Amino acid sequence: MAARPWGIRYPVREFFDEERQVHESISRRRLLQSGAAIAAWPSPATAKGSLAAAARRNGRSYGAAARLDHLRKDRAFAATVAAECAQLTPEVELKWAALEPARGQLSLAAMDDLAAWARQHGKSVHGHTLVWHRSIAPWAIEALRDEPDWGIVHRYFASVMPRYGDVIDTWDVVNEPLASDDGQDGLRPSPFLAVFGPDYLRRALDSARIFAPRAKLLINEFGFETDHPRDAAKRKRFLRLVDDLRKMGAPLNGVGLQAHLDLGHGRLSQTALEAFLAELAARGLILMVTELDVKEADYAAPVERRDAAVAAIARTYLDVALAQPAVRGVTTWGLSDRYSWLEVTPADLARHSAAWDDGSGPGVNRGLPLDAALRPKPLHKAMLDAFAAAPKTTV
Ligand code: XIL
């Protein structure tokens, strides 16, 4: 293979195995139950006092990322998702490695069932995500390398986008295209960048437009919130990317702001965030907070203090985000700490080595609106209050 200027090394298939396992366990159970479980699911509308109701009064939507296997095995959790959320984001089911584990063999059962659940409960679905460096099956990495043909990506869009067109009207077409350092002109090394160069972003948006003519097409990114030079550089680079794509006439309608907040990363910069969102809004883009959650830093503090810190940082973030009328909704990356992707890591535990002499431990990371018993925490209240205090959206 001829060397390409973008022929760099990239991280591969970190999440492929997990996605395959989730998919396989769902397929097996689905065969056994032949769909009966779906009909039996409870079907409440969003509840009074829910985050969805508070967001709606504000002209906005509230949603959470969830996995089909959790909705299926855990009725109390499913009922709570149905009550709190107007929208769902598939946590793994709509990622390429989950959908096309072998070339041309689509495994759509899990996503079909998640979409069916959403339809049945009157929820919309946020399309997450088409092009992501962390969700490419090994066959696709090899195929793109050996036969650099955009058709491979285009055909995959063709097989999933129209299928869910009735429930999905917003798509994260490209997820996390920026590098966290400044290598490769700020773009993240990936098979897409390696094979197609920076033009892959425009191509992805053009292909997505063909298969979802009316949907809002977004780029989803993280790391915009603090004064750290890394975040400042990312904000700048992201605006440049948006401008370049617009100059090329790419069909970019909006931006997903992941908002994975981290209590160990220093204070949020409200001024910088406000200015950044205003810059994006001035370009006519719709904005969505797509993956809000909070990674804790001090697991040894009493639970009340931990919950207060989580609520405070999210409130600070939301006060800025919801003051921007172009922000049309908020999604948290999970609803309950019972199923948080954020874990208390061995490094976290090492920082507090003497903290739990009584043999107890920190429990789970408490960065989502409901605790592991599905009870609302101060973060839930902070979100209700933030929606109540904010001006209405214009989008
Ligand atoms: C994560 C899921 O939560 C995990 O279950 C999966 O193994 C890997 O992906 N940014 C994103 C999401 O855009 O897709 C990621 O979701 C979390 C970080």
Side-chain angles (χ1 to χ4, degrees), residues 10-90:
Y10 41 78
V12 290
R13 58 155 140 168
E14 279 157 72
F15 293 121
F16 176 69
D17 288 338
E18 188 191 349
E19 286 169 14
R20 194 181 47 203
Q21 278 160 21
V22 167
H23 167 75
E24 282 173 357
S25 78
I26 289 166
S27 310
R28 266 197 306 278
R29 217 167 308 134
R30 190 170 192 263
L31 277 177
L32 291 174
Q33 297 172 344
S34 46
I38 294 179
W41 277 339
S43 163
T46 55
K48 237 175 108 196
S50 67
L51 291 167
R56 196 165 45 238
R57 274 197 297 280
N58 196 234
R60 294 180 157 103
S61 78
Y62 168 73
R67 277 167 46 163
L68 180 73
D69 55 343
H70 296 156
L71 292 172
R72 213 174 225 168
K73 74 170 186 220
D74 186 340
R75 280 164 169 271
F77 175 68
T80 310
V81 170
E84 288 286 346
C85 301
Q87 185 168 69
L88 272 187
T89 301

Side-chain angles (χ1 to χ4, degrees), residues 87-261:
Q87 185 168 69
L88 272 187
T89 301
E91 190 173 343
V92 291
E93 292 79 358
L94 194 48
K95 291 170 178 167
W96 191 10
L99 287 174
E100 197 172 358
R103 187 168 196 170
Q105 280 179 33
L106 294 166
S107 296
L108 299 164
M111 188 55 217
D112 281 356
D113 286 359
L114 196 64
W117 191 90
R119 287 184 196 103
Q120 191 194 347
H121 292 82
K123 315 295 177 199
S124 60
V125 176
H126 177 60
H128 178 82
T129 175
L130 293 166
V131 167
W132 189 33
H133 65 287
R134 284 187 155 176
S135 188
I136 317 176
W139 74 261
I141 293 175
E142 281 158 33
L144 289 173
R145 194 190 50 216
D146 298 345
E147 159 208 345
D149 169 14
W150 183 255
I152 295 172
V153 183
H154 188 80
R155 276 191 295 279
Y156 148 64
F157 285 18
S159 43
V160 297
M161 295 186 79
R163 191 175 178 96
Y164 306 114
D166 63 325
V167 278
I168 299 184
D169 63 4
T170 52
W171 284 93
D172 291 336
V173 177
V174 183
N175 196 29
E176 304 178 344
L178 295 192
S180 296
D181 54 42
D182 217 20
Q184 297 299 321
D185 190 27
L187 292 179
R188 178 186 291 282
S190 77
F192 304 105
L193 182 65
V195 176
F196 304 108
D199 196 42
Y200 85 89
L201 285 128
R202 181 194 58 80
R203 290 197 197 203
L205 289 161
D206 280 343
S207 288
R209 176 52 78 226
I210 291 170
F211 301 115
R214 281 174 300 280
K216 301 288 186 202
L217 304 181
L218 274 53
I219 294 180
N220 195 43
E221 187 55 271
F222 70 94
F224 296 137
E225 296 87 18
T226 75
D227 263 339
H228 191 285
R230 182 196 55 225
D231 284 16
K234 239 174 154 175
R235 288 190 291 269
K236 219 167 128 199
R237 183 63 185 89
F238 194 80
L239 290 173
R240 188 150 66 83
L241 174 64
V242 165
D243 288 340
D244 289 349
L245 288 167
R246 280 157 52 89
K247 253 181 252 147
M248 286 186 254
L252 176 69
N253 306 116
V255 173
L257 308 155
Q258 291 193 4
H260 291 292
L261 308 182

Side-chain angles (χ1 to χ4, degrees), residues 266-281:
R267 292 189 42 222
L268 303 188
S269 172
Q270 288 176 283
T271 332
L273 185 60
E274 187 186 337
F276 178 62
L277 300 187
E279 290 273 5
L280 293 170

